[in-house]
Amino acid sequence: MNTRSITHVFFILILCCYTSFSKAQGYKIDVSVKGWQDTTLILGHYFNKKMLVNDTIYIDNNGAGTFTGEEKLPGGVYIIYMPDQTYFDIIVDDEQHFSITANKENPVQSLVIHGNKQEKAFNDYQKFIFSKQEKAKEIQEKLKDKDQYTKEQQDTFKKQLSELSTDVQSYWDKILHLHEGTFLASFIKAMREIEVPDFKALNQPDSVIQVKRYQYYKQHYFDNIDMNDDRLLRTPFFTGKLENFFSKTILQLPDSIVKEAVRVIDMAKGNKDMEKYLIQFTFNYANESKLMGMDAAMVQLGEKYYLSGIADWVDQEFIDKLEDRITKLKPNLIGNTAPDLKMVSPNNQYYRLSEVYAPITILIFWEPDCGHCKKEIPKLKELVWDKYQDVGVKIFAVFTQHEKEKWTDFIADHQLEEWINVYDPYHQSNFRNLYDIYSTPAIYILDENKKIIGKRIGAEQVPDFIDHQLKLNKQAAASL
């Protein structure tokens, strides 16, 4: 054989090996589900508490089919979804050429795996957990029936539950030891709750110990979760863990939310997919919150991650809209001094918001044709003005439209003449942008220095804010 022939054959061998290697990079999952035939199966994965579809196949009259694709699947917990809307979970990671066989009626218990060690171990874990859950359920049912069992028997049941918990913990430890470095180990570890010290050795009051335990729990909440492992995004519990942390563990204050959001996002630096998800999750949490004042958290997170260019996956249209939204929100965030307004009354007298002297000023934007305003304005008079005008509370009421006659008729009909009633007929105050007025009514509560202490609440909530602020004012005066 001449050199040219050898070279040609060698090239063909390389090409064949490369082709085989390329094909091996994809996924090929042979599935056989006894009890199903001539129907479809779906392969999906968990993400953000949802199931997203990866592949769909038609299985033959023996219940067999193959999920296949040229590119590897991202690691995570996947779902085989059956026609009757039941499903079972499998782990997909490095080994993506394997086969599974199961029965339609009880797929988890009947599952047989070939070619995927992690999935085999995961299925063994599922079977183990299922058996322990069944035993725990039986014991818990007995504990509910206190009249049938003696205290000694109940103590025995409680001990049995504790032993079951110990068994589960031991099984988790075994998986972490035998499968160290795998996604299965990362998955199991992430599901474990952290152990919080009791701090009893401090010999402190219970209140101090409880604070210590809370602070430890908050600080170490994510110790068992590797934020650089984006495979955890494709699990059924990850988003739930985040939601529990941000909604139930952290104080629902903008500064607290932002501080913890930044800390959690920093844990994922180096993993673009995880960092992206955490930025989106925390921003959306603040943006969608119904809690008063949480817009301040949205503004801070929006500026830090989106307007700065860190979130480089969003398009310019989103950035432009967000920038406009933040521009409108920033002047009227809680804690800021209320932007000044110079407006005119029905009898053409000018008033400035900054010159209203009052321990508390209620600033309301409204219009007489607004159905909700027709309900809220009379409530505001009854619950706030009639009750608190004697202690100096003032109402600065801004009419947002221009039909002066409707406005003045409403004022007269509802006896609102003693309010500071104003409007902006010449469009000089920019009140819509300064106070983000896109609908009415919109109520702001200002302290004696015109600092915003409440915003966008109903008339029925205003008295609580007034009472609280008057109490603070009284305490401050007493301390002088």
Side-chain angles (χ1 to χ4, degrees):
M1 183 180 292
N2 60 37
T3 304
R4 182 177 179 182
S5 298
I6 293 174
T7 303
H8 182 67
V9 172
F10 185 64
F11 175 76
I12 291 173
L13 286 173
I14 291 176
L15 181 62
C16 291
C17 290
Y18 176 78
T19 303
S20 299
F21 180 76
S22 297
K23 289 181 179 178
Q25 295 310 294
Y27 66 92
K28 181 176 179 292
I29 306 172
D30 296 319
V31 181
S32 177
V33 184
K34 297 176 182 178
W36 289 113
Q37 60 184 18
D38 300 322
T39 187
T40 57
L41 293 181
I42 295 173
L43 175 68
H45 67 272
Y46 292 98
F47 188 82
N48 196 20
K49 300 176 74 174
K50 298 177 182 178
M51 185 198 84
L52 303 182
V53 175
N54 294 89
D55 201 353
T56 303
I57 59 171
Y58 187 82
I59 57 176
D60 60 24
N61 57 7
N62 293 316
T66 300
F67 293 107
T68 184
E70 294 182 358
E71 296 185 5
K72 293 188 74 170
L73 297 165
V77 178
Y78 282 70
I79 308 155
I80 304 291
Y81 195 78
M82 296 182 287
D84 61 353
Q85 299 185 351
T86 60
Y87 62 91
F88 58 96
D89 296 339
I90 62 173
I91 272 188
V92 175
D93 195 18
D94 295 331
E95 300 167 301
Q96 299 202 3
H97 287 235
F98 60 96
S99 64
I100 57 177
T101 302
N103 294 327
K104 167 187 174 183
E105 302 304 327
N106 197 342
V108 174
Q109 294 296 325
S110 62
L111 199 64
V112 177
I113 304 101
H114 294 287
N116 189 332
K117 294 179 182 178
Q118 278 197 70
E119 169 53 25
K120 173 66 169 62
F122 178 62
N123 182 243
D124 290 342
Y125 163 76
Q126 288 178 300
K127 292 174 181 176
F128 172 82
I129 290 296
F130 180 79
S131 66
K132 295 299 179 182
Q133 287 175 337
E134 287 294 301
K135 291 179 181 177
K137 185 177 179 181
E138 292 176 9
I139 297 171
Q140 288 166 345
E141 287 298 322
K142 292 178 181 178
L143 282 171
K144 289 180 181 178
D145 195 351
K146 296 182 179 181
D147 296 333
Q148 186 175 345
Y149 300 99
T150 65
K151 184 180 182 303
E152 289 74 16
Q153 288 175 312
Q154 291 177 13
D155 289 341
T156 300
F157 296 149
K158 291 176 183 178
K159 182 180 178 182
Q160 290 172 346
L161 280 177
S162 178
E163 290 171 349
L164 287 175
S165 178
T166 301
D167 289 344
V168 171
Q169 295 286 340
S170 297
Y171 198 94
W172 283 346
D173 290 338
K174 179 181 176 182
I175 290 177
L176 295 178
H177 175 69
L178 294 177
H179 300 274
E180 184 179 359
T182 67
F183 170 59
L184 176 61
S186 180
F187 172 77
I188 294 298
K189 184 178 180 181
M191 288 195 299
R192 301 182 77 166
E193 288 290 335
I194 62 167
E195 296 183 12
V196 181
D198 59 26
F199 291 105
K200 291 181 179 178
L202 296 176
N203 294 319
Q204 296 283 345
D206 287 345
S207 59
V208 174
I209 289 176
Q210 288 303 317
V211 170
K212 290 282 187 183
R213 287 177 60 83
Y214 162 72
Q215 291 174 338
Y216 184 95
Y217 181 72
K218 182 180 69 172
Q219 187 66 27
H220 295 270
Y221 184 91
F222 293 103
D223 279 5
N224 289 334
I225 299 178
D226 182 0
M227 288 297 189
N228 276 293
D229 189 349
D230 60 84
R231 295 170 298 185
L232 294 174
L233 293 174
R234 292 171 286 279
T235 61
F237 67 84
F238 183 77
T239 298
K241 292 281 286 187
L242 285 176
E243 288 178 343
N244 182 72
F245 181 71
F246 280 96
S247 66
K248 297 180 180 178
T249 305
I250 305 173
L251 294 175
Q252 296 302 290
L253 300 171
D255 289 346
S256 298
I257 295 296
V258 171
K259 177 183 176 182
E260 294 301 325
V262 172
R263 183 171 74 91
V264 171
I265 292 167
D266 283 347
M267 294 178 189
K269 280 192 174 176
N271 188 303
K272 188 69 175 178
D273 288 343
M274 182 66 85
E275 185 179 20
K276 175 181 176 180
Y277 183 77
L278 294 174
I279 289 173
Q280 291 174 328
F281 176 90
T282 53
F283 175 81
N284 289 338
Y285 179 82
N287 188 43
E288 295 168 6
S289 175
K290 303 301 182 184
L291 295 176
M292 185 184 66
M294 201 58 73
D295 51 359
M298 186 279 279
V299 167
Q300 291 184 60
L301 293 173
E303 289 183 326
K304 182 173 179 63
Y305 293 108
Y306 288 90
L307 300 190
S308 68
I310 292 176
D312 55 8
W313 57 85
V314 295
D315 59 28
Q316 191 59 43
E317 182 182 0
F318 177 89
I319 293 297
D320 291 343
K321 288 181 179 179
L322 178 61
E323 188 170 23
D324 179 66
R325 185 83 186 110
I326 287 176
T327 298
K328 290 178 178 178
L329 283 174
K330 285 187 76 171
N332 55 80
L333 297 176
I334 288 179
N336 289 354
T337 299
D340 198 13
L341 297 174
K342 182 180 180 181
M343 308 183 89
V344 63
S345 70
N347 59 4
N348 296 318
Q349 183 176 356
Y350 279 90
Y351 288 90
R352 296 189 74 103
L353 177 62
S354 60
E355 294 174 353
V356 175
Y357 177 75
I360 298 171
T361 302
I362 309 302
L363 171 62
I364 181 167
F365 299 87
W366 69 286
E367 55 186 273
D369 288 332
C370 157
H372 195 39
C373 296
K374 291 176 182 179
K375 297 177 182 178
E376 288 293 289
I377 294 298
K379 283 185 185 177
L380 197 64
K381 179 181 184 301
E382 177 186 354
L383 300 176
V384 177
W385 180 253
D386 292 346
K387 182 178 178 181
Y388 293 99
Q389 61 172 310
D390 290 342
V391 296
V393 171
K394 299 287 180 66
I395 296 181
F396 196 91
V398 178
F399 170 46
T400 61
Q401 301 300 324
H402 308 96
E403 296 83 0
K404 186 174 180 180
E405 186 175 348
K406 289 183 179 180
W407 175 41
T408 54
D409 286 348
F410 192 99
I411 291 172
D413 291 343
H414 293 84
Q415 300 178 337
L416 309 178
E417 292 88 352
E418 293 183 286
W419 293 9
I420 302 173
N421 294 294
V422 291
Y423 76 136
D424 184 16
Y426 309 113
H427 306 284
Q428 295 178 334
S429 68
N430 194 31
F431 72 88
R432 291 190 184 277
N433 287 330
L434 291 175
Y435 286 92
D436 192 30
I437 304 303
Y438 52 86
S439 64
T440 55
I443 295 176
Y444 284 78
I445 304 177
L446 317 179
D447 71 6
E448 61 182 340
N449 298 313
K450 299 299 177 290
K451 183 175 73 175
I452 300 171
I453 58 175
K455 60 186 286 188
R456 298 194 176 279
I457 60 175
E460 294 177 349
Q461 298 171 283
V462 174
D464 288 337
F465 275 87
I466 294 176
D467 290 338
H468 178 69
Q469 189 61 36
L470 290 176
K471 182 179 179 181
L472 292 179
N473 293 349
K474 187 175 180 180
Q475 291 173 348
S479 64
L480 294 178

